[in-house]
């Protein structure tokens, strides 16, 4: 009975080891599940807004919940599917989807995803953490520069009027 018998024997053993390791960190498996629920909610909110929920979920899983990098990336992708579906339905209803542009991004994106998944499968967890961290820092710097550039343009435009 319970979560431990949810699937085959191999899953059973790894599942128990995974969540029992969280018992020592959080005091109970139930407490760990609450943190996973909170992480999923934050992931859904950020991802539903189109900002990439993995930016929130992967650091929460690896840094706060002690999830191994490969497992965190797999959980991220699995949780992404239903979140993306609901967000996409909303964006379609609000006519915020350019289907032609989406097609031109989706096909090479699928090819890139297959290549990236193969590379992630052979890469060490430490290397994946470094790559993920570098990408997050680069995105943060890019967004910060874009913000200040936009603020500067706005300030210049308001002075002209």
């Amino acid at each position: 009975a319970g979560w431990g018998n949810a699937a085959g024997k191999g899953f059973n053993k790894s599942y128990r080891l995974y969540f029992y390791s969280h018992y020592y960190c959080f005091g109970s498996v139930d407490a760990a599940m609450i943190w996973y629920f909170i992480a999923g909610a934050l992931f859904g909110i950020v991802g539903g807004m189109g900002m990439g929920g993995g930016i929130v979920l992967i650091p929460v899983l690896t840094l706060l919940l002690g999830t191994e990098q490969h497992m965190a990336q797999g959980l991220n992708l699995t949780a992404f599917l239903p979140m993306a579906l609901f967000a996409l339905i909303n964006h379609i209803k609000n006519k915020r989807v350019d289907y032609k542009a989406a097609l031109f991004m989706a096909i090479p994106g699928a090819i890139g995803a297959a290549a990236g998944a193969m590379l992630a499968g052979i890469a060490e967890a430490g290397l994946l953490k470094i790559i993920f961290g570098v990408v997050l820092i680069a995105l943060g710097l890019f967004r910060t520069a874009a913000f200040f550039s936009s603020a500067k343009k706005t300030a210049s435009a308001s002075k002209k009027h």
Side-chain angles (χ1 to χ4, degrees), residues 24 48 72 93 98 109 120 132 136 141 148 155-156 159:
Y24 295 106
K93 283 194 324 191
D98 180 341
F132 187 74
L136 284 181
L141 292 172
F148 285 115
S156 298
K159 286 182 182 179

Side-chain angles (χ1 to χ4, degrees), residues 55-125:
I55 291 172
V56 171
L57 188 61
I58 292 175
V60 167
L61 289 172
T62 57
L63 300 174
L64 298 180
L65 298 176
T67 306
E68 189 268 327
Q69 186 71 27
H70 287 95
M71 177 72 76
Q73 289 179 214
L75 286 169
N76 174 63
L77 293 172
T78 304
F80 173 77
L81 293 174
M83 182 268 310
L85 177 65
F86 286 110
L88 180 60
I89 289 168
N90 185 38
H91 286 291
I92 288 171
K93 283 194 324 191
N94 291 312
K95 297 180 178 17
R96 291 183 290 211
V97 176
D98 180 341
Y99 294 101
K100 187 175 180 179
L103 181 64
F104 278 97
M105 288 186 289
I107 293 170
I111 295 166
M118 286 190 299
L119 290 172
I122 60 174
E124 295 288 329

Side-chain angles (χ1 to χ4, degrees), residues 12-30:
N12 228 354
K13 183 178 179 186
S14 64
Y15 172 83
R16 276 184 275 166
L17 289 174
Y18 183 70
F19 284 102
Y20 289 150
S21 69
H22 284 76
Y23 176 84
Y24 295 106
C25 189
F26 297 104
S28 74
V29 173
D30 292 335

